[in-house]
Amino acid sequence: MQYTVTAVVVSYNREALLRECLDGIATQTRPVDNVVVVDNASTDGSRDVIRGHELIAAHMADGTAHVVELKENTGGAGGFCAGIATALADFDAAHTAETDVETAATSQSRHYLWLMDDDTVPTSTALEALLAAVERCVYENRAMPAALGSKALWTDGREHLMNKPRVRAHIIKGDKYLDMSSFTADAASGEAANPSETSAYQARSLSFVSCLLNAGAIVNLGRLPRAAYFLWNDDFEFTTALLRRGIGYYVPASEVVHKTKVFGSSDADPGVRFYEEVRNKIWLWRFSRQNFTPVEQFELLLKTVRRWLLTWHRAEDHKLIADCLERGWRDGWHTDPQPNADIFVSNPEVASAVCLCDEQCA
């Protein structure tokens, strides 16, 4: 089956890493078809890197690249919201001739968005492995996966556990595991790798660190990631919405290097960012708990309490964590997330693209 893949990269003040990220996309064994790069008002040389990179230049030449320069930093959440909206709008514009609704819907279902931050460097077969998992899912389940995630490694080769999802506990449809051993067969010996080490497994949520999202699933959902989250939990909230009834797989055969400053898990000391963790979790509970079954809601509460307790235990500055908890708790219960289109009012093109696929604008 033929697929269209749009890479969506969010950038902010990491020009060296951004160059590595774009280099990684440029050297894929299965090239991307389109590229969208969202710059979050960087003050370093990131925009020069974008404009001067050969990947962008090549796609600009045939009209398949779009550089979005935001006027203020909207965080990772805002960047991905803008990037997804732009990718969907560009795809719609390129397929305006498809007046047949069924043909247009089929095109959307075969369009995937490959999301990543600028500190993510995909290995050369990362995209090829994700698309192999798409094909395997279609063959085994007779259904298109809504989302797939790559295995994230740190700079020393260890798996980045902050990006590794748990195996989905409550399978509603599809196989729990996909055997990807044929994709990871040893090229020299021709022998397949151990299936237990290569199998993709169903996940309930996925990180935006190399995440392949089905455009048709996003359109059917009728909304975008919540830009107001700024950072933390935006990917968790959005992918749990997509996977409430959809199928999603974590694909270890697809590898990327996630070049964070330090190695750690999701409950490592977050410092001042703990404010967003608390506020966004409460927003998620207030406005998005329909993403979860009653059993999953109970599990979410327990896991959140455990995570916050571990954060407190591992924090160096307990006074700071307490302040973040107090402010996040207050704002989570007493404020509402700002609508996506309002956040991009200073970028009319982005706001327009957001309103094409976000029911909040209706």
Side-chain angles (χ1 to χ4, degrees), residues 156-197:
D156 63 359
R158 287 181 290 171
E159 183 168 8
H160 229 321
L161 298 181
M162 66 183 294
N163 302 123
K164 184 177 182 178
R166 295 181 177 89
V167 178
R168 184 168 189 159
H170 313 288
I171 305 296
I172 59 172
K173 60 181 176 181
D175 290 349
K176 190 170 188 176
Y177 296 95
L178 293 178
D179 182 7
M180 297 293 294
S181 57
S182 59
F183 180 82
T184 55
D186 186 279
S189 66
E191 295 181 359
N194 185 346
S196 65
E197 298 175 353

Side-chain angles (χ1 to χ4, degrees), residues 228-240:
Y229 276 40
F230 193 78
L231 55 84
W232 280 36
N233 293 309
D234 53 302
D235 46 6
F236 177 72
E237 190 280 328
F238 193 64
T239 57
T240 54

